Amino acid sequence: MSNGNPYSPISAKIESVIDETPTIKTFILTPSEQLHFDTGQFVEITVPGLGESPFTPSSSPMIKDRMDVTIMKAGKVTSRLHQMSEGSIVGVRGPFGKGYPLSEFKGKEVLVFGGGVGLAPLKSLLLTMFDRLNDFKRVILKYGARTPADIVYKGELKEWAKKIEVDLTVDRGDETWKGKVGLVTTLLENGHLDTENGVAVVCGPPVMMKFSTLKLLEIGYKPSSIYLSMEKNMSCGIGKCGHCRLGKYYVCKDGPVFTYEAIADIPEIWD
Amino acid sequence: MNKSYFLKNAGIKELIPSLARDFKLFAPERIEETYKWRRVLEDSPKTPDWSQYRTVEPLKTFFFPPRYTVATYSADTPQGKADLDALKEKQTVLFGTKACDLRSLKVLDHVFLEGEIEDPFYKARRENTILIASDCTEFTENCFCLALGINPFPEDNYDIKFSVLEEGLLLEAGSQRGESLLDRYRSHFTEATASQKEEAEKNRNTFIDNYRKKIAGENLPEKDSIKGYVEKNFKSGIWENYSEDCVECGACNLVCPTCHCFILQDYARSGGDFGRSLLWDSCQYKTFARVAGGANPRRRLAERIRNRFDKKFSFFPERIDSYACTGCGRCTEACLAGIDIREVLKELASA
């Protein structure tokens, strides 16, 4: 926030751009002021003169002078961002909302469960947990993408596999793919997971979130142990503009991370 | 109890120019059957009309205007600032606010001032505005505040309240700020007599008796029962039926004293600079909840109509123990499709 005005962005320079997939890029940003965020909190990024969109940084909050944001080309703002390159200036507001409740994960098995570009916020969570892996009983990443070309963080995934168990699948393989083929939920079958005391942290497209939650419940996870990133149309970021209401909550202020237990009674949460 | 003062009719003609000189003064002006807020200048020849009922525009227009710039920035340094000084230059006095609009402040203050981050623009305008409120002496055909437990007299959130008597105005402070304002113009007032207070009380009683009869004839649901309606009727066909009439103009949101949703809109200014406007939005518009990927939790109009009632009669009661409806009837008045909020509530009650 700049000068006590919650609607005003600060500037950030695009240091570099990484092509992740044909529709997803990671932007390495250096904000003009340090932004202290908790893993899982989100920011609003401004394309000057065009407008803002909400994104959750994918970098570790321990890195103070830099922020990575992985962005899928989906609408007006993201299309313009995809045309921007090294040296361009964008605006940043935030951070907003509540991050992942890491203290609640302490001593437990943490299943990090992602789909598509949904791995972006989870990457920040993973990097944060890597600094204190001993705090957790076990950390597992299960991730699915539509095709091998749609997998983000290909290089990092290999590195992470040296630290934690990484389990990947694609909906449709190709001639080079030697891994698993099947929907991401198939990774939950016979997964030797501690459904009794462990937690599952889920982020992905709405339909993936829905079926993943149902599957997690089916295999025994408690509604209070399933953490969901409910990304709605967050705009002001401070619970005033009304766009991201979900039942009695504003996703921007009370979320974006909710336990399934907290929102299970709200009708039509997956729409 | 606060001291009451009397301002005789002849004294009003002297007080108003003083107020208009010292403040940005607004008072309702009667235009045919309606009242609209109008700026009163020092040399305005006319004494304000003492409005019988609320204005066409909701009070929020003074604290949360339909469109205003919240930031300006340039392409190389998108770093705006809040330009609040202009909002603090001269205090605004609103002479003739009504109870329904005072009640709306409970909702608006919660949205814009409470929580971790307050809205500096709303705060500056709200703090810089003195509310002089008055009794309703008539109701419009669409008024139903009484059915929601709101009396048509100023009861909270005002700085000064007044009642119109035959010979002048009976005034009483409701805040420290109101007290100071009365002190400032003390020479215009006399201390109110018992008979003047009785006259005001009698007028109130006569009016509220009439109003009660009107409300009784409308068979509206009991106010405390409304809270569960939307949940109970979530899958009801009622919303679908209303969606056949609604034309998605958003007028109900725009005239509502408690509707507060807005969008931020960036635009190019001259000289390579950019601005960010805050402008009113409507949850009845299809794009309201849509996200960039195309997902839309309220794609269908019926869902959006339901959302409006859900927010007013479930969300706010849960958050602040108050409906976000003050019974002002403006949405009914504004609706191009003739949808009457009272009829919707009655249908929900009987479903």
Side-chain angles (χ1 to χ4, degrees), chain A residues 2 5 7-11 33 46 49 52 74 233 240-241 243 245 247-248 250 254 267-268, chain B residues 70 73 78-80 111 117 119 260-263 274 276 281 288 290 292 306-307 311 319:
Chain A
S2 137
N5 181 353
Y7 304 118
S8 187
I10 61 163
S11 65
E33 300 165 23
T46 303
E52 294 183 314
N233 180 14
K240 308 207 185 302
C241 80
H243 284 91
R245 187 170 76 87
K248 63 179 176 180
Y250 282 126
D254 306 311
E268 302 171 359
Chain B
V70 291
Y73 59 88
Q79 193 126 354
V111 171
I117 299 174
D119 180 309
H260 61 84
C261 291
F262 61 83
I263 53 173
F274 302 99
R276 174 164 295 163
D281 201 358
F288 185 81
R290 192 184 68 191
R306 181 180 64 200
N307 174 71
K311 182 94 183 262
R319 288 234 161 183

mmCIF file of all heavy atoms in Angstrom, chain A residues 2 5 7-11 33 46 49 52 74 233 240-241 243 245 247-248 250 254 267-268, chain B residues 70 73 78-80 111 117 119 260-263 274 276 281 288 290 292 306-307 311 319:
data_model
loop_
_atom_site.group_PDB
_atom_site.id
_atom_site.type_symbol
_atom_site.label_atom_id
_atom_site.label_comp_id
_atom_site.label_asym_id
_atom_site.label_seq_id
_atom_site.Cartn_x
_atom_site.Cartn_y
_atom_site.Cartn_z
ATOM 1 N N SER A 2 0.449 2.209 -0.776
ATOM 2 C CA SER A 2 1.286 3.391 -0.923
ATOM 3 C C SER A 2 0.566 4.618 -0.358
ATOM 4 O O SER A 2 -0.595 4.856 -0.662
ATOM 5 C CB SER A 2 1.612 3.542 -2.404
ATOM 6 O OG SER A 2 1.507 4.856 -2.826
ATOM 7 N N ASN A 5 -3.120 4.857 0.747
ATOM 8 C CA ASN A 5 -4.206 4.704 -0.210
ATOM 9 C C ASN A 5 -4.254 3.258 -0.683
ATOM 10 O O ASN A 5 -3.414 2.819 -1.454
ATOM 11 C CB ASN A 5 -3.970 5.648 -1.391
ATOM 12 C CG ASN A 5 -5.079 5.549 -2.422
ATOM 13 O OD1 ASN A 5 -5.961 4.691 -2.329
ATOM 14 N ND2 ASN A 5 -5.039 6.431 -3.411
ATOM 15 N N TYR A 7 -5.942 1.784 -2.812
ATOM 16 C CA TYR A 7 -6.254 1.557 -4.225
ATOM 17 C C TYR A 7 -5.078 1.870 -5.140
ATOM 18 O O TYR A 7 -5.152 1.697 -6.348
ATOM 19 C CB TYR A 7 -7.455 2.418 -4.647
ATOM 20 C CG TYR A 7 -8.670 2.179 -3.797
ATOM 21 C CD1 TYR A 7 -9.217 3.197 -3.023
ATOM 22 C CD2 TYR A 7 -9.261 0.921 -3.751
ATOM 23 C CE1 TYR A 7 -10.325 2.975 -2.229
ATOM 24 C CE2 TYR A 7 -10.366 0.691 -2.957
ATOM 25 C CZ TYR A 7 -10.902 1.719 -2.201
ATOM 26 O OH TYR A 7 -11.996 1.492 -1.405
ATOM 27 N N SER A 8 -3.992 2.372 -4.547
ATOM 28 C CA SER A 8 -2.889 2.853 -5.352
ATOM 29 C C SER A 8 -1.763 1.829 -5.437
ATOM 30 O O SER A 8 -1.312 1.317 -4.422
ATOM 31 C CB SER A 8 -2.373 4.147 -4.709
ATOM 32 O OG SER A 8 -1.419 4.723 -5.538
ATOM 33 N N PRO A 9 -1.290 1.530 -6.647
ATOM 34 C CA PRO A 9 -0.220 0.544 -6.782
ATOM 35 C C PRO A 9 1.154 1.155 -6.521
ATOM 36 O O PRO A 9 1.310 2.370 -6.570
ATOM 37 C CB PRO A 9 -0.324 0.114 -8.247
ATOM 38 C CG PRO A 9 -0.860 1.317 -8.953
ATOM 39 C CD PRO A 9 -1.736 2.051 -7.963
ATOM 40 N N ILE A 10 2.135 0.308 -6.252
ATOM 41 C CA ILE A 10 3.528 0.743 -6.324
ATOM 42 C C ILE A 10 4.086 0.144 -7.621
ATOM 43 O O ILE A 10 3.494 -0.762 -8.192
ATOM 44 C CB ILE A 10 4.355 0.276 -5.102
ATOM 45 C CG1 ILE A 10 4.388 -1.251 -5.003
ATOM 46 C CG2 ILE A 10 3.826 0.885 -3.818
ATOM 47 C CD1 ILE A 10 5.490 -1.757 -4.091
ATOM 48 N N SER A 11 5.197 0.652 -8.068
ATOM 49 C CA SER A 11 5.712 0.154 -9.338
ATOM 50 C C SER A 11 6.597 -1.066 -9.125
ATOM 51 O O SER A 11 7.187 -1.254 -8.055
ATOM 52 C CB SER A 11 6.491 1.250 -10.069
ATOM 53 O OG SER A 11 7.639 1.585 -9.331
ATOM 54 N N GLU A 33 9.252 -1.000 -3.630
ATOM 55 C CA GLU A 33 9.369 -1.113 -2.172
ATOM 56 C C GLU A 33 9.251 -2.603 -1.857
ATOM 57 O O GLU A 33 8.573 -3.329 -2.576
ATOM 58 C CB GLU A 33 8.205 -0.414 -1.443
ATOM 59 C CG GLU A 33 8.089 1.053 -1.707
ATOM 60 C CD GLU A 33 6.718 1.595 -1.268
ATOM 61 O OE1 GLU A 33 6.049 0.984 -0.411
ATOM 62 O OE2 GLU A 33 6.319 2.641 -1.809
ATOM 63 N N THR A 46 -1.059 -4.454 -11.836
ATOM 64 C CA THR A 46 -1.625 -3.466 -12.755
ATOM 65 C C THR A 46 -0.847 -3.442 -14.065
ATOM 66 O O THR A 46 0.376 -3.327 -14.051
ATOM 67 C CB THR A 46 -1.508 -2.042 -12.160
ATOM 68 O OG1 THR A 46 -2.157 -1.995 -10.897
ATOM 69 C CG2 THR A 46 -2.131 -1.001 -13.087
ATOM 70 N N GLY A 49 -2.786 1.714 -17.223
ATOM 71 C CA GLY A 49 -3.830 2.191 -18.107
ATOM 72 C C GLY A 49 -4.874 1.156 -18.476
ATOM 73 O O GLY A 49 -5.937 1.494 -18.970
ATOM 74 N N GLU A 52 -6.225 -4.211 -13.484
ATOM 75 C CA GLU A 52 -5.565 -5.124 -12.551
ATOM 76 C C GLU A 52 -6.150 -6.527 -12.629
ATOM 77 O O GLU A 52 -7.295 -6.711 -13.014
ATOM 78 C CB GLU A 52 -5.822 -4.664 -11.110
ATOM 79 C CG GLU A 52 -5.225 -3.369 -10.725
ATOM 80 C CD GLU A 52 -5.515 -3.084 -9.256
ATOM 81 O OE1 GLU A 52 -6.666 -3.246 -8.809
ATOM 82 O OE2 GLU A 52 -4.574 -2.693 -8.554
ATOM 83 N N ALA A 74 -5.360 -15.504 -19.990
ATOM 84 C CA ALA A 74 -6.768 -15.889 -19.865
ATOM 85 C C ALA A 74 -7.719 -14.758 -20.221
ATOM 86 O O ALA A 74 -8.840 -14.991 -20.666
ATOM 87 C CB ALA A 74 -7.062 -16.372 -18.446
ATOM 88 N N ASN A 233 -13.331 -13.423 -8.282
ATOM 89 C CA ASN A 233 -13.058 -12.189 -9.017
ATOM 90 C C ASN A 233 -12.629 -11.087 -8.054
ATOM 91 O O ASN A 233 -13.300 -10.071 -7.903
ATOM 92 C CB ASN A 233 -14.347 -11.814 -9.774
ATOM 93 C CG ASN A 233 -14.214 -10.558 -10.581
ATOM 94 O OD1 ASN A 233 -13.109 -10.072 -10.804
ATOM 95 N ND2 ASN A 233 -15.328 -10.019 -11.022
ATOM 96 N N LYS A 240 -14.244 -4.594 0.160
ATOM 97 C CA LYS A 240 -15.163 -3.472 0.018
ATOM 98 C C LYS A 240 -15.952 -3.471 -1.297
ATOM 99 O O LYS A 240 -17.099 -3.065 -1.326
ATOM 100 C CB LYS A 240 -14.392 -2.150 0.147
ATOM 101 C CG LYS A 240 -13.536 -2.117 1.415
ATOM 102 C CD LYS A 240 -13.294 -0.736 1.926
ATOM 103 C CE LYS A 240 -12.338 -0.721 3.101
ATOM 104 N NZ LYS A 240 -12.788 -1.536 4.258
ATOM 105 N N CYS A 241 -15.338 -3.953 -2.368
ATOM 106 C CA CYS A 241 -15.982 -3.804 -3.679
ATOM 107 C C CYS A 241 -17.048 -4.858 -3.941
ATOM 108 O O CYS A 241 -17.857 -4.704 -4.850
ATOM 109 C CB CYS A 241 -14.946 -3.821 -4.795
ATOM 110 S SG CYS A 241 -14.376 -5.473 -5.254
ATOM 111 N N HIS A 243 -17.052 -7.973 -5.121
ATOM 112 C CA HIS A 243 -17.040 -8.923 -6.230
ATOM 113 C C HIS A 243 -16.781 -10.374 -5.849
ATOM 114 O O HIS A 243 -17.256 -11.277 -6.515
ATOM 115 C CB HIS A 243 -16.009 -8.491 -7.276
ATOM 116 C CG HIS A 243 -16.481 -7.344 -8.096
ATOM 117 N ND1 HIS A 243 -16.241 -6.042 -7.750
ATOM 118 C CD2 HIS A 243 -17.230 -7.306 -9.210
ATOM 119 C CE1 HIS A 243 -16.805 -5.249 -8.632
ATOM 120 N NE2 HIS A 243 -17.413 -5.984 -9.524
ATOM 121 N N ARG A 245 -17.519 -12.214 -3.198
ATOM 122 C CA ARG A 245 -18.251 -12.789 -2.073
ATOM 123 C C ARG A 245 -18.500 -14.283 -2.290
ATOM 124 O O ARG A 245 -18.849 -14.715 -3.379
ATOM 125 C CB ARG A 245 -19.591 -12.095 -1.885
ATOM 126 C CG ARG A 245 -20.328 -12.536 -0.637
ATOM 127 C CD ARG A 245 -21.508 -11.651 -0.365
ATOM 128 N NE ARG A 245 -22.623 -11.936 -1.256
ATOM 129 C CZ ARG A 245 -23.554 -12.859 -1.023
ATOM 130 N NH1 ARG A 245 -23.509 -13.580 0.073
ATOM 131 N NH2 ARG A 245 -24.535 -13.039 -1.879
ATOM 132 N N GLY A 247 -20.657 -16.812 -0.002
ATOM 133 C CA GLY A 247 -21.449 -16.976 1.212
ATOM 134 C C GLY A 247 -21.218 -15.828 2.157
ATOM 135 O O GLY A 247 -21.345 -14.673 1.785
ATOM 136 N N LYS A 248 -20.816 -16.157 3.385
ATOM 137 C CA LYS A 248 -20.612 -15.089 4.373
ATOM 138 C C LYS A 248 -19.208 -14.499 4.305
ATOM 139 O O LYS A 248 -18.864 -13.635 5.116
ATOM 140 C CB LYS A 248 -20.926 -15.599 5.771
ATOM 141 C CG LYS A 248 -20.010 -16.715 6.225
ATOM 142 C CD LYS A 248 -20.372 -17.153 7.644
ATOM 143 C CE LYS A 248 -19.526 -18.340 8.051
ATOM 144 N NZ LYS A 248 -19.835 -18.811 9.399
ATOM 145 N N TYR A 250 -15.685 -12.828 2.195
ATOM 146 C CA TYR A 250 -15.070 -12.257 1.012
ATOM 147 C C TYR A 250 -13.780 -13.033 0.797
ATOM 148 O O TYR A 250 -12.957 -13.132 1.718
ATOM 149 C CB TYR A 250 -14.755 -10.771 1.208
ATOM 150 C CG TYR A 250 -15.961 -9.892 1.067
ATOM 151 C CD1 TYR A 250 -16.320 -8.986 2.064
ATOM 152 C CD2 TYR A 250 -16.753 -9.954 -0.074
ATOM 153 C CE1 TYR A 250 -17.438 -8.186 1.924
ATOM 154 C CE2 TYR A 250 -17.870 -9.160 -0.213
ATOM 155 C CZ TYR A 250 -18.211 -8.272 0.785
ATOM 156 O OH TYR A 250 -19.318 -7.490 0.638
ATOM 157 N N ASP A 254 -11.091 -12.848 3.731
ATOM 158 C CA ASP A 254 -11.213 -13.997 4.620
ATOM 159 C C ASP A 254 -10.463 -15.198 4.052
ATOM 160 O O ASP A 254 -10.216 -16.168 4.756
ATOM 161 C CB ASP A 254 -12.683 -14.349 4.829
ATOM 162 C CG ASP A 254 -13.492 -13.149 5.306
ATOM 163 O OD1 ASP A 254 -13.050 -12.496 6.262
ATOM 164 O OD2 ASP A 254 -14.535 -12.847 4.706
ATOM 165 N N PRO A 267 -23.877 -22.839 -0.826
ATOM 166 C CA PRO A 267 -24.322 -23.482 -2.069
ATOM 167 C C PRO A 267 -23.435 -23.095 -3.257
ATOM 168 O O PRO A 267 -22.949 -21.961 -3.336
ATOM 169 C CB PRO A 267 -25.738 -22.929 -2.275
ATOM 170 C CG PRO A 267 -26.113 -22.259 -0.993
ATOM 171 C CD PRO A 267 -24.849 -21.878 -0.306
ATOM 172 N N GLU A 268 -23.273 -23.999 -4.156
ATOM 173 C CA GLU A 268 -22.651 -23.751 -5.466
ATOM 174 C C GLU A 268 -21.254 -23.139 -5.398
ATOM 175 O O GLU A 268 -20.921 -22.230 -6.153
ATOM 176 C CB GLU A 268 -23.593 -22.874 -6.312
ATOM 177 C CG GLU A 268 -24.944 -23.552 -6.485
ATOM 178 C CD GLU A 268 -26.014 -22.684 -7.128
ATOM 179 O OE1 GLU A 268 -25.725 -21.523 -7.428
ATOM 180 O OE2 GLU A 268 -27.128 -23.189 -7.321
ATOM 181 N N VAL B 70 -9.370 7.461 -7.641
ATOM 182 C CA VAL B 70 -8.746 7.038 -6.388
ATOM 183 C C VAL B 70 -7.224 7.028 -6.482
ATOM 184 O O VAL B 70 -6.537 6.909 -5.474
ATOM 185 C CB VAL B 70 -9.241 5.649 -5.917
ATOM 186 C CG1 VAL B 70 -10.695 5.727 -5.472
ATOM 187 C CG2 VAL B 70 -9.059 4.589 -6.991
ATOM 188 N N TYR B 73 -1.239 7.688 -11.725
ATOM 189 C CA TYR B 73 0.111 7.149 -11.773
ATOM 190 C C TYR B 73 0.655 7.298 -13.186
ATOM 191 O O TYR B 73 -0.097 7.514 -14.144
ATOM 192 C CB TYR B 73 0.137 5.696 -11.311
ATOM 193 C CG TYR B 73 -0.722 4.742 -12.114
ATOM 194 C CD1 TYR B 73 -0.220 4.101 -13.241
ATOM 195 C CD2 TYR B 73 -2.037 4.472 -11.730
ATOM 196 C CE1 TYR B 73 -0.996 3.219 -13.969
ATOM 197 C CE2 TYR B 73 -2.815 3.597 -12.455
ATOM 198 C CZ TYR B 73 -2.304 2.969 -13.581
ATOM 199 O OH TYR B 73 -3.077 2.103 -14.294
ATOM 200 N N PRO B 78 4.194 3.609 -11.528
ATOM 201 C CA PRO B 78 2.779 3.522 -11.146
ATOM 202 C C PRO B 78 2.608 3.710 -9.636
ATOM 203 O O PRO B 78 2.420 2.759 -8.899
ATOM 204 C CB PRO B 78 2.370 2.116 -11.575
ATOM 205 C CG PRO B 78 3.461 1.618 -12.432
ATOM 206 C CD PRO B 78 4.702 2.332 -11.974
ATOM 207 N N GLN B 79 2.751 4.906 -9.203
ATOM 208 C CA GLN B 79 2.750 5.155 -7.776
ATOM 209 C C GLN B 79 1.816 6.326 -7.475
ATOM 210 O O GLN B 79 2.212 7.478 -7.559
ATOM 211 C CB GLN B 79 4.173 5.502 -7.324
ATOM 212 C CG GLN B 79 4.344 5.477 -5.847
ATOM 213 C CD GLN B 79 5.494 4.556 -5.455
ATOM 214 O OE1 GLN B 79 6.071 3.868 -6.292
ATOM 215 N NE2 GLN B 79 5.839 4.534 -4.197
ATOM 216 N N GLY B 80 0.568 6.020 -7.188
ATOM 217 C CA GLY B 80 -0.402 7.086 -6.982
ATOM 218 C C GLY B 80 -0.472 7.535 -5.547
ATOM 219 O O GLY B 80 0.138 6.959 -4.666
ATOM 220 N N VAL B 111 -18.660 -1.362 5.919
ATOM 221 C CA VAL B 111 -17.906 -1.737 4.717
ATOM 222 C C VAL B 111 -16.646 -0.887 4.574
ATOM 223 O O VAL B 111 -15.550 -1.411 4.349
ATOM 224 C CB VAL B 111 -18.788 -1.577 3.453
ATOM 225 C CG1 VAL B 111 -17.954 -1.747 2.181
ATOM 226 C CG2 VAL B 111 -19.935 -2.578 3.467
ATOM 227 N N ILE B 117 -8.372 -2.455 6.827
ATOM 228 C CA ILE B 117 -8.026 -1.335 5.959
ATOM 229 C C ILE B 117 -9.267 -0.502 5.686
ATOM 230 O O ILE B 117 -10.284 -1.015 5.218
ATOM 231 C CB ILE B 117 -7.426 -1.839 4.625
ATOM 232 C CG1 ILE B 117 -6.144 -2.634 4.924
ATOM 233 C CG2 ILE B 117 -7.128 -0.681 3.688
ATOM 234 C CD1 ILE B 117 -5.534 -3.317 3.730
ATOM 235 N N ASP B 119 -11.306 2.841 3.893
ATOM 236 C CA ASP B 119 -11.279 3.578 2.641
ATOM 237 C C ASP B 119 -11.071 5.055 2.979
ATOM 238 O O ASP B 119 -11.937 5.680 3.588
ATOM 239 C CB ASP B 119 -12.616 3.356 1.917
ATOM 240 C CG ASP B 119 -12.677 4.091 0.599
ATOM 241 O OD1 ASP B 119 -12.379 5.309 0.588
ATOM 242 O OD2 ASP B 119 -13.020 3.470 -0.421
ATOM 243 N N HIS B 260 -23.037 -1.099 -2.119
ATOM 244 C CA HIS B 260 -21.727 -0.457 -2.047
ATOM 245 C C HIS B 260 -20.743 -1.031 -3.049
ATOM 246 O O HIS B 260 -19.562 -0.687 -3.024
ATOM 247 C CB HIS B 260 -21.150 -0.657 -0.642
ATOM 248 C CG HIS B 260 -20.960 -2.104 -0.312
ATOM 249 N ND1 HIS B 260 -19.834 -2.792 -0.689
ATOM 250 C CD2 HIS B 260 -21.782 -2.996 0.277
ATOM 251 C CE1 HIS B 260 -19.973 -4.064 -0.321
ATOM 252 N NE2 HIS B 260 -21.146 -4.212 0.262
ATOM 253 N N CYS B 261 -21.177 -1.944 -3.911
ATOM 254 C CA CYS B 261 -20.205 -2.606 -4.784
ATOM 255 C C CYS B 261 -19.681 -1.645 -5.842
ATOM 256 O O CYS B 261 -20.399 -0.788 -6.322
ATOM 257 C CB CYS B 261 -20.833 -3.839 -5.431
ATOM 258 S SG CYS B 261 -21.137 -5.125 -4.207
ATOM 259 N N PHE B 262 -18.415 -1.819 -6.151
ATOM 260 C CA PHE B 262 -17.794 -0.921 -7.134
ATOM 261 C C PHE B 262 -16.747 -1.675 -7.924
ATOM 262 O O PHE B 262 -16.315 -2.770 -7.535
ATOM 263 C CB PHE B 262 -17.167 0.292 -6.438
ATOM 264 C CG PHE B 262 -16.070 -0.029 -5.459
ATOM 265 C CD1 PHE B 262 -14.761 -0.246 -5.891
ATOM 266 C CD2 PHE B 262 -16.338 -0.110 -4.091
ATOM 267 C CE1 PHE B 262 -13.741 -0.537 -4.982
ATOM 268 C CE2 PHE B 262 -15.321 -0.397 -3.179
ATOM 269 C CZ PHE B 262 -14.025 -0.611 -3.621
ATOM 270 N N ILE B 263 -16.345 -1.087 -9.048
ATOM 271 C CA ILE B 263 -15.200 -1.617 -9.782
ATOM 272 C C ILE B 263 -14.133 -0.538 -9.875
ATOM 273 O O ILE B 263 -14.427 0.655 -9.773
ATOM 274 C CB ILE B 263 -15.549 -2.141 -11.200
ATOM 275 C CG1 ILE B 263 -16.284 -1.084 -12.008
ATOM 276 C CG2 ILE B 263 -16.364 -3.393 -11.126
ATOM 277 C CD1 ILE B 263 -16.490 -1.491 -13.457
ATOM 278 N N PHE B 274 -1.780 7.919 -16.074
ATOM 279 C CA PHE B 274 -2.958 7.065 -15.973
ATOM 280 C C PHE B 274 -3.736 7.390 -14.708
ATOM 281 O O PHE B 274 -3.178 7.903 -13.738
ATOM 282 C CB PHE B 274 -2.552 5.592 -15.959
ATOM 283 C CG PHE B 274 -1.771 5.185 -17.172
ATOM 284 C CD1 PHE B 274 -0.389 5.107 -17.131
ATOM 285 C CD2 PHE B 274 -2.426 4.927 -18.360
ATOM 286 C CE1 PHE B 274 0.331 4.759 -18.253
ATOM 287 C CE2 PHE B 274 -1.716 4.578 -19.502
ATOM 288 C CZ PHE B 274 -0.323 4.501 -19.448
ATOM 289 N N ARG B 276 -6.987 5.929 -12.009
ATOM 290 C CA ARG B 276 -7.801 4.786 -11.575
ATOM 291 C C ARG B 276 -9.078 5.344 -10.963
ATOM 292 O O ARG B 276 -9.025 6.082 -9.977
ATOM 293 C CB ARG B 276 -7.033 3.939 -10.565
ATOM 294 C CG ARG B 276 -7.882 2.819 -9.957
ATOM 295 C CD ARG B 276 -7.018 1.781 -9.276
ATOM 296 N NE ARG B 276 -6.190 1.103 -10.267
ATOM 297 C CZ ARG B 276 -5.112 0.374 -9.957
ATOM 298 N NH1 ARG B 276 -4.753 0.230 -8.709
ATOM 299 N NH2 ARG B 276 -4.419 -0.208 -10.913
ATOM 300 N N ASP B 281 -20.823 -0.399 -9.225
ATOM 301 C CA ASP B 281 -21.093 -1.576 -10.032
ATOM 302 C C ASP B 281 -22.426 -2.168 -9.571
ATOM 303 O O ASP B 281 -22.966 -1.770 -8.537
ATOM 304 C CB ASP B 281 -19.955 -2.605 -9.868
ATOM 305 C CG ASP B 281 -19.904 -3.598 -11.032
ATOM 306 O OD1 ASP B 281 -20.756 -3.507 -11.937
ATOM 307 O OD2 ASP B 281 -19.009 -4.455 -11.032
ATOM 308 N N PHE B 288 -20.347 -9.289 -13.306
ATOM 309 C CA PHE B 288 -19.987 -8.919 -11.932
ATOM 310 C C PHE B 288 -19.044 -9.916 -11.259
ATOM 311 O O PHE B 288 -18.050 -9.532 -10.657
ATOM 312 C CB PHE B 288 -21.258 -8.744 -11.090
ATOM 313 C CG PHE B 288 -20.989 -8.254 -9.696
ATOM 314 C CD1 PHE B 288 -20.781 -6.906 -9.449
ATOM 315 C CD2 PHE B 288 -20.927 -9.139 -8.622
ATOM 316 C CE1 PHE B 288 -20.522 -6.439 -8.174
ATOM 317 C CE2 PHE B 288 -20.667 -8.677 -7.344
ATOM 318 C CZ PHE B 288 -20.460 -7.329 -7.116
ATOM 319 N N ARG B 290 -17.733 -12.702 -12.878
ATOM 320 C CA ARG B 290 -17.002 -13.492 -13.866
ATOM 321 C C ARG B 290 -15.491 -13.336 -13.676
ATOM 322 O O ARG B 290 -15.018 -12.256 -13.354
ATOM 323 C CB ARG B 290 -17.398 -13.040 -15.273
ATOM 324 C CG ARG B 290 -16.933 -13.973 -16.366
ATOM 325 C CD ARG B 290 -17.264 -13.427 -17.728
ATOM 326 N NE ARG B 290 -16.476 -12.218 -18.007
ATOM 327 C CZ ARG B 290 -16.709 -11.410 -19.029
ATOM 328 N NH1 ARG B 290 -17.722 -11.633 -19.826
ATOM 329 N NH2 ARG B 290 -15.949 -10.348 -19.226
ATOM 330 N N ALA B 292 -11.435 -14.111 -15.342
ATOM 331 C CA ALA B 292 -10.824 -14.000 -16.666
ATOM 332 C C ALA B 292 -10.930 -15.280 -17.487
ATOM 333 O O ALA B 292 -11.116 -15.237 -18.689
ATOM 334 C CB ALA B 292 -9.368 -13.590 -16.537
ATOM 335 N N ARG B 306 -31.133 -13.488 -6.980
ATOM 336 C CA ARG B 306 -31.056 -14.155 -5.681
ATOM 337 C C ARG B 306 -29.881 -13.604 -4.871
ATOM 338 O O ARG B 306 -29.994 -13.363 -3.670
ATOM 339 C CB ARG B 306 -30.886 -15.663 -5.892
ATOM 340 C CG ARG B 306 -30.818 -16.451 -4.604
ATOM 341 C CD ARG B 306 -30.662 -17.926 -4.893
ATOM 342 N NE ARG B 306 -29.404 -18.208 -5.559
ATOM 343 C CZ ARG B 306 -29.148 -19.325 -6.265
ATOM 344 N NH1 ARG B 306 -30.072 -20.246 -6.393
ATOM 345 N NH2 ARG B 306 -27.970 -19.487 -6.828
ATOM 346 N N ASN B 307 -28.782 -13.358 -5.552
ATOM 347 C CA ASN B 307 -27.591 -12.823 -4.884
ATOM 348 C C ASN B 307 -27.897 -11.506 -4.177
ATOM 349 O O ASN B 307 -27.431 -11.254 -3.070
ATOM 350 C CB ASN B 307 -26.472 -12.622 -5.917
ATOM 351 C CG ASN B 307 -25.262 -11.942 -5.305
ATOM 352 O OD1 ASN B 307 -24.537 -12.532 -4.515
ATOM 353 N ND2 ASN B 307 -25.054 -10.675 -5.637
ATOM 354 N N LYS B 311 -27.403 -11.115 -0.203
ATOM 355 C CA LYS B 311 -26.475 -10.135 0.390
ATOM 356 C C LYS B 311 -27.199 -9.255 1.405
ATOM 357 O O LYS B 311 -26.695 -8.983 2.485
ATOM 358 C CB LYS B 311 -25.888 -9.284 -0.742
ATOM 359 C CG LYS B 311 -24.869 -8.258 -0.305
ATOM 360 C CD LYS B 311 -23.459 -8.766 -0.406
ATOM 361 C CE LYS B 311 -22.458 -7.757 0.107
ATOM 362 N NZ LYS B 311 -21.809 -6.942 -0.880
ATOM 363 N N ARG B 319 -23.073 -10.632 9.374
ATOM 364 C CA ARG B 319 -21.887 -9.819 9.681
ATOM 365 C C ARG B 319 -22.143 -8.756 10.737
ATOM 366 O O ARG B 319 -21.336 -8.541 11.628
ATOM 367 C CB ARG B 319 -21.411 -9.098 8.412
ATOM 368 C CG ARG B 319 -20.764 -10.021 7.423
ATOM 369 C CD ARG B 319 -19.386 -9.522 7.055
ATOM 370 N NE ARG B 319 -18.625 -10.624 6.481
ATOM 371 C CZ ARG B 319 -17.359 -10.559 6.107
ATOM 372 N NH1 ARG B 319 -16.699 -9.443 6.247
ATOM 373 N NH2 ARG B 319 -16.751 -11.598 5.612
#
